[in-house]
Amino acid sequence: MSISVVILAAGKGSRMKSTTPKVLHEISGKSMLFHAIDAAQEVSSDITIVLYHQAKRIQEQVEAEYSNIHFHLQDAEKYPGTGGAMKGVTTQNERTLILNGDMPLITKDSLLALTAGDAEINMSVIKLDDPSGYGRVIIQDEKVQEIVEQKDCNEDQLQTKTVNAGIYAVNTALLEKYIPRLDNNNAQEEYYLTDIIKMAVDEGKTVHPVYVEEEEFKGVNSKFDLSAAEEIMQRRIKTFWMHSGVTMRLPETIYIDSRATFEGECMLENGVSIQGASHIIASHIKTHSIIEDSHIENSDVGPIGRIRPNTKLVDTHIGNFVEVKKSTLTGVKAGHLAYIGDATIDEGTNIGAGMITCNYDGKNKHQTKIGKNVFIGSDTQIIAPVTIDDNVIIAAGTTVNKNVEKGSLVISRIEMKTVKDFFYKFFDK
Ligand code: UD1
Ligand code: MG
């Protein structure tokens, strides 16, 4: 059956105590809203996001990443609440799945379970030991009768431990009929989407409860919730990659972005952080190294290596305290203490300890090109833009500020002087 999705994301999210809209806070490198959109795209191609607070900022971010998403601006002054959010929303398909933008842990399988069956409405419910804060779901004979918000509950209703997880799959025609009928006669004077349940039941329609895992439906309302969701997401991501063949030493100390991918046999030691859409192929990333948005193939990095965005390492060895940025290294060895930025370095080249590409002149970034089989001594500065051809030796301590021809030795050093017995004279000993 074809289905449309509406993601509610107009709420203010004041408990986040942040100037960033709640749904733009990130879990594993991707905003909560993007996690929700990705799950929604697995089941539908008609997706509408309802916005109000900081609508422009959120819409711009979504449009930079996705096409074909519809937006609806809630009239939140006049019609506050989850029901108000649905006023004026139109969807294209027979069924409409309504999600919250602050539930980043939802999976495709749960969304599919919610759209199965032929009840007019499926709604997500969870049994909780502590139901406080949630709308209570009144169920009789396995059919939902109504949802009562905590603030509107009587003493009996407050004891109900089955609560509304906040996701519904509704027959679109019914939704279009009930939304205009919602009122705000309740404790919060808001338009409650949850009131459509009673309307459906009163008309003899079936509302089916779908029991769901609490973990997936946890709403993120505070920075504490954000950290809890991050932990769950990290556990899922690492479990997936370990099952795909990535070895992880002490996985609880490792961070992996939701967009990162691995291929072949990879090993991640403790404390490693793989950020952005990094792609790691058959490589070994050693203790406390950071890889950001880079391609690492058949290489080893670290311990304590830092590979910054847009780097490509192939058949390369990067050792401790080496930083590489926006560079392509093929068949290179850089074992210790170096900064390589905006460079292309070719096969068989060895980078000594303390080599630095001086890529920035205070105004612009410049390129360094180093050819094959170049031996670069320790403590050298390569002032870009510069090209060093194949088979070159750069002596330790050299400052390279002109292009170097194939086969040359380059040395720039002031001659060493020795003053005999100077120590004894100077200190009068
Ligand atoms: C809602 C449910 C409650 C359920 C809980 C589950 C209602 C009336 N209550 O309560 O039964 O147990 O979710 O988490 O629906 N939003 C808008 N516009 C608004 C208000 C909210 O788009 O005017 C969006 C929010 O951004 C959020 C979602 O709707 O994504 C839920 O809003 P929230 O205020 O968190 O609802 P709850 O009070 O938690
Ligand atoms: Mg909520």
Side-chain angles (χ1 to χ4, degrees), residues 114 116 144:
L114 272 157
V144 177

Side-chain angles (χ1 to χ4, degrees), residues 8-11 74 80-82 85 100-102 134-135 149 164-165 192 194:
L8 304 183
Q74 180 183 354
T82 49
N100 290 349
D102 61 356
Y134 287 91
E149 291 306 298
N164 171 21
Y192 291 166
T194 44

Side-chain angles (χ1 to χ4, degrees), residues 15 22 100 102 219 221:
R15 281 172 288 172
K22 171 158 100 170
N100 290 349
D102 61 356
N221 292 310

Side-chain angles (χ1 to χ4, degrees), residues 337-349:
L337 269 184
Y339 172 60
I340 299 167
D342 302 302
T344 309
I345 310 180
D346 216 338
E347 261 170 69
T349 289

Side-chain angles (χ1 to χ4, degrees), residues 7-13 15 22-23 50-53 74-76 79-86 99-103 123 126 131 133-137 147-150 163-168 186 188 190-195 217-221:
I7 303 175
L8 304 183
K12 196 167 178 189
R15 281 172 288 172
K22 171 158 100 170
V23 293
V50 180
L51 297 173
Y52 177 68
H53 286 284
Q74 180 183 354
D75 184 353
Y79 300 111
T82 49
M86 289 301 295
L99 310 180
N100 290 349
D102 61 356
M103 289 183 179
M123 63 164 290
I126 329 176
Y134 287 91
R136 309 299 203 273
V137 183
I147 306 173
V148 188
E149 291 306 298
Q150 171 155 318
V163 304
N164 171 21
I167 297 192
Y168 324 83
N186 52 57
Q188 301 185 85
E190 283 188 0
Y191 293 81
Y192 291 166
L193 175 58
T194 44
D195 286 350
F217 290 80
K218 261 200 176 135
V220 172
N221 292 310

Side-chain angles (χ1 to χ4, degrees), residues 153-411:
C153 278
N154 61 33
E155 278 306 313
D156 273 357
Q157 290 165 332
L158 275 180
Q159 304 311 313
T160 309
K161 298 209 162 170
T162 305
V163 304
N164 171 21
I167 297 192
Y168 324 83
V170 188
N171 174 307
T172 303
L174 286 186
L175 199 60
E176 283 167 358
K177 186 165 142 194
Y178 297 149
I179 294 293
R181 290 191 196 165
L182 293 175
D183 62 38
N184 63 348
N185 295 328
N186 52 57
Q188 301 185 85
E189 295 187 347
E190 283 188 0
Y191 293 81
Y192 291 166
L193 175 58
T194 44
D195 286 350
I196 66 166
I197 304 298
K198 193 159 186 318
M199 292 179 185
V201 172
D202 287 347
E203 287 193 344
K205 313 288 183 202
T206 307
V207 181
H208 177 64
V210 177
Y211 287 85
V212 296
E213 290 292 323
E214 185 189 349
E215 177 180 294
E216 275 188 51
F217 290 80
K218 261 200 176 135
V220 172
N221 292 310
S222 66
K223 284 178 176 156
F224 176 79
D225 294 343
L226 192 71
S227 74
E230 180 72 273
E231 259 177 58
I232 295 168
M233 186 67 81
Q234 279 297 303
R235 198 188 67 222
R236 283 188 195 169
I237 291 171
K238 287 181 280 191
T239 304
F240 173 82
W241 287 116
M242 283 188 273
H243 284 304
S244 312
V246 178
T247 306
M248 296 188 201
R249 186 164 81 196
L250 299 178
E252 66 277 16
T253 67
I254 293 172
Y255 171 84
I256 300 177
D257 192 290
S258 57
R259 294 160 301 169
T261 49
F262 297 85
E263 236 182 282
E265 209 169 342
C266 293
M267 160 86 181
L268 307 180
E269 293 184 6
N270 50 300
V272 158
S273 179
I274 309 288
Q275 303 174 11
S278 291
H279 188 46
I280 319 274
I281 307 169
S283 291
H284 184 172
I285 315 298
K286 297 178 187 167
T287 307
H288 294 298
S289 294
I290 303 167
I291 313 287
E292 302 169 64
D293 265 307
S294 287
H295 175 109
I296 316 286
E297 184 174 349
N298 200 28
S299 296
D300 67 284
V301 175
I304 323 174
R306 178 161 186 222
I307 309 301
R308 291 173 49 205
N310 299 312
T311 293
K312 185 173 182 190
L313 304 181
V314 179
D315 301 330
T316 287
H317 162 69
I318 298 291
N320 51 189
F321 305 111
V322 174
E323 173 180 346
V324 186
K325 185 216 86 172
K326 211 178 179 182
S327 295
T328 300
L329 277 59
T330 311
V332 174
K333 287 193 171 106
H336 346 254
L337 269 184
Y339 172 60
I340 299 167
D342 302 302
T344 309
I345 310 180
D346 216 338
E347 261 170 69
T349 289
N350 188 85
I351 310 283
M355 185 210 85
I356 287 172
T357 52
C358 310
N359 59 328
Y360 184 49
D361 60 13
K363 281 189 184 167
N364 297 302
K365 303 276 163 66
H366 300 283
Q367 296 292 318
T368 296
K369 269 194 83 180
I370 303 176
K372 290 188 172 58
N373 306 318
V374 175
F375 181 87
I376 303 189
S378 298
D379 189 26
T380 48
Q381 300 94 50
I382 313 289
I383 303 181
V386 73
T387 299
I388 300 171
D389 211 337
D390 298 344
N391 306 330
V392 161
I393 298 174
I394 311 283
T398 295
T399 301
V400 178
N401 59 358
K402 294 189 202 91
N403 291 349
V404 181
E405 270 178 38
K406 196 168 177 176
S408 320
L409 162 74
V410 184
I411 179 161

